Structure formats: structure tokens, C-alpha cells
């Protein structure tokens, strides 16, 4: 078993390094290889889901990110990324729930506040959207997407 764990760890390191270098196809193949051996490998579910979202494969990303939130329910980025995917799929109420969960875990998570505001904007909840975007900017003044979302609300 130790040998299998070592192989998974080494494969994951390689997958993550390729992901960070935007070698998405290599990273995707390595994450999938890990998940064939260990479907509950948190890092592979999370990063492959995130990679799929970045490459606009939102339905597949949704499945993996849901799994990541089940494996590590207190990992705010998994809830936030799932929320972002759900927003792309037009599931705004679910987006709001995911972002609120991320903020509950980490109240200073600027991206989650921003994504929450973006979903609220889509639902016509403009004052709530403004408040969320402003909170994101207060936490992280250089968060460009929050400034853009705030401008879009106005």
C-alpha cells in the first residue's frame, strides 16, 4: 500500500506542477489517472474540477467539485469554485449557497464575496450584490473582478 501511496503522491505533484504551468492536458491526464486508483483523492477532484472550469467544461467540473466539497467540507475554495461553476450553469441560488458556505468557513475570502455578489446581481438583488463586491474590495483591494462586478451592478 505504501508503494501505491508514493506513486499517487508523485503523480499528484507532477499533475499540480503541470497545472500551474498551464499544461492542462498533461495535468488532466495525471489527475484522471489518480482518480482511477483513488476516486476520493481530494486534491485530484479539486484541481481537476478547477481545471475543467477554467477550460469551460462546467458540467464535468460541477461533479468533481461537488465531490471535493463532500471529501473536505471545510475547505472554502472548493465551495467557492463550485459556486463559480454553478453560476456559469445559471444555477444562481445554488451559487449563493456555495459562496455563503465558503464565507462561513473563511469570512475574509474575497473571491467568495465577489462570486456571491455576481450571483446576486444575476437575480436582481442589486444592493446585496453591491455590498458583497464592496466587501470583496475591502478585503482584497486589487481584486480586479470585484471592481468589474461592482461596475456591472451600477
Amino acid at each position: 500500500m505504501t508503494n501505491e501511496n508514493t506513486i499517487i503522491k508523485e503523480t499528484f505533484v507532477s499533475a499540480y506542477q503541470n497545472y500551474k504551468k498551464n499544461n492542462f492536458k498533461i495535468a488532466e491526464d495525471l489527475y484522471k489517472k489518480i482518480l482511477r486508483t483513488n476516486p476520493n483523492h481530494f486534491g485530484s477532484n479539486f484541481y481537476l474540477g478547477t481545471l475543467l472550469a477554467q477550460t469551460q467544461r462546467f458540467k464535468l467540473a460541477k461533479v468533481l467539485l461537488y465531490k471535493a466539497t463532500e471529501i473536505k467540507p471545510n475547505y472554502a475554495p472548493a465551495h467557492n469554485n463550485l459556486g463559480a461553476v454553478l453560476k456559469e450553469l445559471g444555477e444562481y441560488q445554488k451559487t449563493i449557497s456555495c459562496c455563503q458556505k465558503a464565507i462561513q468557513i473563511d469570512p475574509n475570502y474575497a473571491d467568495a464575496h465577489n462570486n456571491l455578489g455576481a450571483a446576486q446581481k444575476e437575480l436582481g438583488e442589486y444592493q446585496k450584490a453591491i455590498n458583497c463586491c464592496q466587501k470583496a474590495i475591502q478585503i482584497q483591494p486589487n481584486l480586479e473582478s470585484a471592481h468589474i462586478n461592482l461596475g456591472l451592478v451600477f
Side-chain angles (χ1 to χ4, degrees), residues 7-16 19 27-52 60-61 63-65 67-68 71-72 75:
I7 291 168
I8 288 175
K9 281 180 185 172
E10 289 171 357
T11 305
F12 181 75
V13 167
S14 179
Y16 183 75
Y19 170 75
E28 180 178 341
D29 291 344
L30 291 170
Y31 288 133
K32 285 178 177 176
K33 180 179 178 183
I34 293 167
L35 291 173
R36 280 192 295 274
T37 305
N38 179 0
N40 293 317
H41 188 267
F42 170 77
S44 296
N45 278 288
F46 175 72
Y47 285 108
L48 181 55
T50 302
L51 182 158
L52 292 171
L60 293 171
V63 172
L64 290 160
L65 290 169
K67 179 90 170 177
I71 297 167
K72 270 196 181 177
Y75 189 65

Side-chain angles (χ1 to χ4, degrees), residues 45-46 48-53 56-70 78 81-91 94 98:
N45 278 288
F46 175 72
L48 181 55
T50 302
L51 182 158
L52 292 171
Q56 315 254 318
R57 291 177 281 168
F58 300 114
K59 288 181 180 175
L60 293 171
K62 174 181 168 180
V63 172
L64 290 160
L65 290 169
Y66 261 121
K67 179 90 170 177
T69 64
E70 291 169 359
N81 289 9
L82 176 57
V85 164
L86 292 168
K87 181 183 158 291
E88 292 297 328
L89 293 170
E91 299 179 37
K94 290 180 182 178
C98 288

Side-chain angles (χ1 to χ4, degrees), residues 87-152:
K87 181 183 158 291
E88 292 297 328
L89 293 170
E91 299 179 37
Y92 303 120
Q93 289 296 341
K94 290 180 182 178
T95 298
I96 288 171
S97 296
C98 288
C99 294
Q100 287 173 333
K101 178 67 177 172
I103 292 166
Q104 179 187 344
I105 296 165
D106 180 359
N108 290 315
Y109 194 178
D111 281 325
H113 286 281
N114 181 44
N115 288 335
L116 177 57
Q120 289 168 326
K121 174 185 72 73
E122 294 297 331
L123 292 173
E125 298 174 353
Y126 300 118
Q127 191 55 56
K128 288 180 181 179
I130 290 166
N131 294 343
C132 288
C133 292
Q134 288 176 334
K135 178 71 175 174
I137 292 166
Q138 177 189 344
I139 295 167
Q140 192 176 333
N142 294 330
L143 186 59
E144 185 178 330
S145 58
H147 289 278
I148 291 168
N149 281 334
L150 184 59
L152 290 172

